[in-house]
Amino acid sequence: MQPAGHRLRDVEHHPLLTENDSYDSASSSSSEADATDRVWFIRDGCGMVCAVMTWLLVVYADFVVTFVMLLPSKDFWYSVVNGVIFNCLAVLALSSHLRTMLTDPGAVPRGNATKEHVQSLQLKPGEVLYKCPKCCCIKPERAHHCSICKRCIRKMDHHCPWVNNCVGEKNQRFFVLFTMYIALSSVHALILCGLQFISCVRGQWTECSDFSPPITVILLIFLCLEGLLFFTFTAVMFGTQIHSICNDETEIERLKSEKPTWERRLRWEGMKSVFGGPPSLLWMNPFVGFRFRRLQARPRKGGPEFSV
C-alpha cells in the first residue's frame, strides 16, 4: 500500500472537478444511467480487424472440416458425430467471443469526480479517493485506465485486440470460455487432420476428398498450422486466466508487482466470483444472462466507444 502522504499528493495533483469545469457531468450521468440498455462496442481499427480475422479463421476451419474431411467420408456416423461436435464447439467459441466483445468489461462512469458527488458519498475523516485525470472519474480500487477504451476498467486484466475489448470484471468469464472453446476446437481439428492424412495415404487421394489432391493438401496443411497456433495461444491464455482467477490477481497487478490491499478470494471462491454461483454446467454456457437489447443510435462526442 502506498504511504498516505503520497496518496494525498496524488489527489492534490489531480483535484476534483468543480461546478465551473468544462466537463458536462450532467450529460455524462444521464448517458451512464441507461448504459445497461445499450450494446458496448469499441471503435478501434486494429481491434476490429483482429476480431474479423478471428471469425474468418474459425469459418475457414469449419469449411475445411465439413466440406473437405467429413462430407466426402464414407462413414456416415463418423461424419455426423464429428460434424456435430466441431460445429458446436465453433458456435460456442464465436458466441463467447461476441459476449466478450460486446459486454461492458466494468467501465467506471466518467465525470463523477465532482465535489457534489464526493460530498454525497459521506466519506469518513482521512479517507482518500483517487481521481483519474484522463476520464475524470473516481477511480475504484483495482481499476486501471485503458488508453484504447478511454475508460477506467474495474479489475482490468488486459486489453485484447482479438476480442476488441478490455478483459475486466464483467466479461472475464466469457473471455475464459472463448479461449477454452477455441483450444478444444483446435485440438479436434488437428485430430481430424491427422486421421484424414492417414486415410488419404492408405487409400486414394482422389477418393478421400471432393477436391483435387494438391488443393486438399494445401487446405489441410494450412488448417494444421492454424490449429497449432490457435491451440498454443489460447491454451496459454486459458491457463493464465485460471491462474489469475484462482489467485485473485489480474495480469496488470502481477506485472506491476502490486501488493494486495484487498481480501483475496482464492481458488474456488475466486472461480465462483467470476463464473457466478457454485460449480455447474452453467459455467460453460456463454448464453447465460443474455438478453436482446434495444437498438438505438447514440452519437457521442470524442472517444472510441459508441452504443447502439
Side-chain angles (χ1 to χ4, degrees):
M1 179 183 297
Q2 295 176 329
H6 181 67
R7 295 171 65 191
L8 286 172
R9 282 196 296 271
D10 283 346
V11 174
E12 292 171 355
H13 183 66
H14 303 302
L16 298 175
L17 297 176
T18 63
E19 294 179 355
N20 297 325
D21 284 328
S22 60
Y23 190 89
D24 190 355
S25 59
S27 61
S28 175
S29 301
S30 62
S31 63
E32 300 292 347
D34 61 344
T36 55
D37 294 330
R38 307 196 307 267
V39 175
W40 173 276
F41 185 78
I42 301 300
R43 290 187 296 180
D44 174 58
C46 176
M48 289 188 288
V49 170
C50 290
V52 171
M53 285 180 58
T54 301
W55 274 69
L56 291 178
L57 289 172
V58 173
V59 171
Y60 168 80
D62 188 73
F63 168 79
V64 176
V65 168
T66 303
F67 293 98
V68 178
M69 291 188 284
L70 296 182
L71 288 182
S73 175
K74 298 179 181 179
D75 191 334
F76 174 77
W77 289 111
Y78 171 85
S79 300
V80 170
V81 172
N82 284 285
V84 169
I85 293 175
F86 187 84
N87 281 277
C88 285
L89 290 175
V91 169
L92 290 171
L94 294 179
S95 300
S96 301
H97 183 273
L98 274 180
R99 294 300 303 273
T100 307
M101 182 171 61
L102 302 180
T103 298
D104 180 352
V108 181
R110 288 185 292 193
N112 64 353
T114 61
K115 288 186 177 181
E116 294 77 10
H117 180 64
V118 172
Q119 291 173 356
S120 67
L121 297 178
Q122 299 180 350
L123 301 176
K124 298 179 181 179
E127 190 172 354
V128 178
L129 294 177
Y130 287 101
K131 172 201 166 185
C132 176
K134 298 178 180 178
C135 56
C136 301
C137 71
I138 296 177
K139 199 171 185 178
E141 187 178 33
R142 306 186 70 183
H144 294 84
H145 186 85
C146 175
S147 59
I148 299 177
C149 295
K150 307 296 184 185
R151 301 288 290 274
C152 283
I153 307 296
R154 295 183 179 91
K155 290 184 66 175
M156 176 181 170
D157 189 84
H158 68 287
H159 185 94
C160 180
W162 297 103
V163 297
N164 189 33
N165 201 2
C166 277
V167 177
E169 184 178 64
K170 295 183 179 180
N171 68 345
Q172 187 176 26
R173 168 192 178 182
F174 303 121
F175 183 75
V176 173
L177 292 179
F178 167 67
T179 57
M180 182 185 72
Y181 286 126
I182 287 292
L184 291 176
S185 59
S186 298
V187 171
H188 191 200
L190 289 172
I191 293 174
L192 292 177
C193 282
L195 295 176
Q196 185 71 11
F197 273 118
I198 294 174
S199 175
C200 292
V201 170
R202 288 181 177 178
Q204 296 292 330
W205 279 92
T206 56
E207 296 179 0
C208 67
S209 175
D210 293 337
F211 295 85
S212 64
I215 297 298
T216 301
V217 172
I218 292 175
L219 293 174
L220 292 178
I221 290 177
F222 189 81
L223 180 59
C224 287
L225 294 176
E226 177 190 341
L228 286 172
L229 291 175
F230 264 41
F231 172 74
T232 302
F233 174 75
T234 54
V236 170
M237 288 302 302
F238 176 79
T240 302
Q241 290 295 303
I242 295 298
H243 180 269
S244 298
I245 293 172
C246 291
N247 288 278
D248 195 13
E249 182 182 46
T250 66
E251 186 66 15
I252 292 180
E253 293 164 349
R254 185 186 69 81
L255 292 175
K256 290 185 176 181
S257 300
E258 296 182 0
K259 295 182 179 180
T261 58
W262 60 92
E263 183 179 355
R264 283 188 165 181
R265 291 175 290 189
L266 303 179
R267 298 181 178 86
W268 282 112
E269 291 302 319
M271 295 290 287
K272 291 177 183 178
S273 67
V274 172
F275 288 90
S280 68
L281 292 178
L282 293 178
W283 282 14
M284 309 297 176
N285 184 3
F287 301 102
V288 171
F290 174 78
R291 63 186 180 88
F292 289 100
R293 304 191 179 196
R294 174 171 52 91
L295 298 180
Q296 178 182 2
R298 299 182 63 88
R300 302 176 70 93
K301 295 182 180 180
E305 135 212 10
F306 85 101
S307 305
V308 293

